[in-house]
Amino acid sequence: MHANPFTPSQAPTHRLFGSCVPWLQAGRPPTGAPLTTEHVPADPSDPAVRPPGLISEEQVPYPARAISRRLSAVVVVRALVDETGTIAEAAVIQASGQPLDYGFEQAALRRVKGRKYRPARRNEVPVPIWVVVRVEFRPPPVR
């Protein structure tokens, strides 16, 4: 077994992974084992990685505050799919451009966080991976 070469202040950080994997910032995996690539989200460009498959998603209603304005919107969310296929973390990376109080960003996050995936796999082993989800909102039909 290798000793962890990093103290918490020397822990390797990555601009994409550092905030989503807190133990990287602490300098050690949760078990105290040495840092390994199995704890780092998979690289989608790795040919050994099979992407996650969407199993289900919660249908989130069109935001009520935006109904009277009949607005369409698109929100882009970046989410971490963990080894079990659950969304471990999600953040808006492209807002709708509409005022926040219309609720498009919150609704997009609820929808993405409610998704369930078949986990990504690297060499047939489940691995965490980042996905980017485009959530489109169209006003409901006029009755």
Side-chain angles (χ1 to χ4, degrees):
M1 177 185 278
H2 299 285
N4 186 347
F6 301 103
T7 63
S9 63
Q10 298 171 319
T13 57
H14 188 284
R15 66 183 178 85
L16 296 178
F17 303 143
S19 66
C20 70
V21 186
W23 52 262
L24 277 178
Q25 293 172 338
R28 63 190 179 289
T31 61
L35 288 173
T36 63
T37 56
E38 71 186 58
H39 298 289
V40 177
D43 178 355
S45 66
D46 180 345
V49 173
R50 190 172 59 205
L54 182 62
I55 295 172
S56 65
E57 77 178 329
E58 178 183 335
Q59 291 302 314
V60 175
Y62 182 87
R65 293 205 56 167
I67 286 177
S68 65
R69 291 167 185 81
R70 310 227 11 100
L71 300 171
S72 292
V74 173
V75 178
V76 180
V77 176
R78 183 170 183 259
L80 181 63
V81 179
D82 70 14
E83 297 92 334
T84 67
T86 301
I87 300 297
E89 182 176 327
V92 172
I93 59 172
Q94 182 181 336
S96 67
Q98 302 296 339
L100 287 178
D101 64 340
Y102 287 177
F104 290 113
E105 287 72 19
Q106 296 86 349
L109 284 170
R110 267 195 324 274
R111 184 170 181 180
V112 171
K113 287 178 180 180
R115 285 180 157 207
K116 180 68 177 164
Y117 286 87
R118 183 181 59 254
R121 294 183 173 274
R122 181 189 304 118
N123 300 321
E124 299 308 315
V125 175
V127 292
I129 194 166
W130 286 103
V131 295
V132 175
V133 181
R134 185 174 191 265
V135 181
E136 294 186 31
F137 293 95
R138 300 203 189 290
V142 178
R143 297 178 192 185

